[in-house]
Amino acid sequence: MEPSRERKFSPVWEHFNLISANKVKCRLCSKELRYNNNTSSMLRHYWALHETKETGSEQPSIDDRSGVDDALVDMVILDSQPFSFVEDKGFKKLVAALNPGNVLPTRQALKAMVEKRYEELKEKAKVLVSTASAVSLTSDMWTSINTNAYLAVTGHFIDTSTTLQTVVLGVVHFPQSHTAENLAQVKSRLMLEWGITDRVTCLVTDGAPNMGACSRHLQLRHTNCVAHTLNLFIKKAIEQNPVLSKIRIDARRLVGYFKSSTTAKERLSQMQVHMGQTTLKLVQEVDTRWNSTFHMLQRLHDMKELVGAALAGLRTEIAPLTMEQL
């Protein structure tokens, strides 16, 4: 099979034959590679194994290229980068300036490299978990920015050197109804996959009824999360205090205004520069975290002059906290 005219444009085709629509064979070593209308993998193979032998030119060794690949995988993982960043013009230009001989992997190849790293680390984690005589699980439901529901399950155990270890067993997409039966089914599958079904001694969750019922389905001892319980205590205490409830409502409204209004944000930033307090930022309360209420109120107290000065120059009915409230 012959490559198309466009494919022949790359000199690397002198060393490869197209043997199918998505596969090529190296003429020098008969190695078969996947082909996705991109010659990057072919170039990487040729430069890593053949160019130095043919031309005597100094090219990065296989280990050097492996190091670059590892760094790219680290970049995706540590910085939450999309696989497509290796195709960005600016990034390609930067890499070419640093090393003109380096060929970046395609986004598909990079994805495969990340998946390989995941599988390698998962196998290491399974070996570590296999040494535990008892495992406690923590579990929670959460919703992504795209409103997709996920169930996260984490295992905690003491290893053979008496060190506390924590391993994420899974973050599972959970589109089905959040019933106790469905939750138990997914958790049971994760316990089976990690080989800990007969070693789980406790399941810690929030106090939601479906979570407690899930534990009963799994026949596991259930404990409510202390942080969630504490949060409920403090929320109820605030709700029963009219003065503090009013301060909290006014504070939420005030912070929300500065978070949502571009004009208000800019005015506050101007005041911060003018008063030399650019490091302070308003904090909005998160309903499920009682300490965020404390941080919101504390930050408003610390920024009372800034907020008051900013509001004075804005057309809004939002008022700063009164001196009595502060």
Side-chain angles (χ1 to χ4, degrees):
M1 181 179 294
E2 287 293 325
S4 66
R5 183 175 299 175
E6 291 79 5
R7 292 169 182 163
K8 283 184 176 180
F9 179 78
S10 175
V12 77
W13 282 106
E14 297 176 5
H15 308 286
F16 287 86
N17 290 326
L18 185 69
I19 59 177
S20 70
N22 57 2
K23 187 175 292 187
V24 295
K25 177 185 285 189
C26 177
R27 295 178 181 178
L28 300 172
C29 66
S30 299
K31 173 75 173 180
E32 294 185 3
L33 304 174
R34 292 183 62 184
Y35 175 68
N36 294 305
N37 294 317
N38 189 296
T39 59
S40 293
S41 61
M42 298 155 62
L43 283 167
R44 288 158 65 82
H45 171 83
Y46 175 69
W47 281 354
L49 300 180
H50 304 304
E51 184 166 32
T52 302
K53 295 177 181 178
E54 287 200 336
T55 66
S57 61
E58 293 186 4
Q59 290 293 333
S61 67
I62 297 176
D63 289 339
D64 291 339
R65 291 185 180 279
S66 177
V68 173
D69 289 347
D70 287 342
L72 286 172
V73 172
D74 288 341
M75 188 173 176
V76 171
I77 297 170
L78 297 175
D79 300 337
S80 298
Q81 291 288 344
F83 298 125
S84 60
F85 85 93
V86 290
E87 299 176 352
D88 292 342
K89 293 180 180 179
F91 184 71
K92 285 184 174 181
K93 188 174 181 180
L94 172 64
V95 171
L98 294 172
N99 183 359
N102 187 58
V103 177
L104 290 168
T106 63
R107 61 194 298 177
Q108 294 89 351
L110 181 58
K111 180 181 179 183
M113 288 153 58
V114 172
E115 290 174 345
K116 180 182 177 183
R117 172 79 67 83
Y118 165 75
E119 293 298 336
E120 291 173 349
L121 293 178
K122 185 176 180 179
E123 287 306 311
K124 289 182 179 179
K126 282 186 173 181
V127 172
L128 181 62
V129 171
S130 69
T131 65
S133 58
V135 181
S136 291
L137 300 181
T138 55
S139 176
D140 197 13
M141 296 291 304
W142 58 276
T143 304
S144 72
I145 194 172
N146 297 322
T147 69
N148 292 319
Y150 291 86
L151 173 67
V153 180
T154 305
H156 311 268
F157 57 94
I158 304 295
D159 65 14
T160 54
S161 61
T162 67
T163 301
L164 177 63
Q165 299 285 353
T166 295
V167 174
V168 177
L169 305 185
V171 180
V172 183
H173 183 216
F174 207 93
Q176 59 266 51
S177 177
H178 299 176
T179 64
E181 293 81 2
N182 289 337
L183 290 167
Q185 185 178 29
V186 173
K187 292 177 184 179
S188 179
R189 187 170 68 243
L190 282 173
M191 288 189 292
L192 183 63
E193 178 186 353
W194 286 80
I196 58 173
T197 302
D198 59 346
R199 289 180 284 152
V200 176
T201 58
C202 183
L203 176 60
V204 181
T205 70
D206 59 26
N210 60 340
M211 289 295 187
C214 169
S215 296
R216 291 191 290 274
H217 274 281
L218 294 171
Q219 297 183 340
L220 294 176
R221 182 164 65 91
H222 179 251
T223 299
N224 284 348
C225 172
V226 173
H228 279 275
T229 304
L230 182 60
N231 183 71
L232 292 175
F233 282 151
I234 295 179
K235 283 182 64 177
K236 289 183 179 297
I238 292 176
E239 290 168 0
Q240 293 176 19
N241 186 315
V243 175
L244 190 52
S245 291
K246 178 67 164 57
I247 294 175
R248 177 176 173 239
I249 292 170
D250 290 347
R252 283 178 63 98
R253 187 183 181 205
L254 182 57
V255 175
Y257 172 64
F258 280 100
K259 292 287 187 181
S260 61
S261 170
T262 302
T263 304
K265 285 181 185 177
E266 292 176 352
R267 181 63 179 172
L268 183 60
S269 296
Q270 291 170 0
M271 291 296 99
Q272 288 181 299
V273 172
H274 179 69
M275 300 174 71
Q277 298 184 24
T278 55
T279 58
L280 294 178
K281 302 294 180 184
L282 290 174
V283 176
Q284 181 58 285
E285 177 191 55
V286 178
D287 193 51
T288 56
R289 299 175 186 170
W290 70 270
N291 55 343
S292 68
T293 303
F294 170 77
H295 291 307
M296 174 183 68
L297 298 175
Q298 183 183 52
R299 189 54 56 84
L300 273 175
H301 181 273
D302 294 342
M303 296 177 64
K304 54 183 179 291
E305 291 88 358
L306 285 169
V307 171
L311 287 173
L314 295 167
R315 295 181 178 179
T316 177
E317 296 180 355
I318 302 291
L321 297 182
T322 66
M323 289 305 298
E324 184 180 7
Q325 287 176 318
L326 289 168

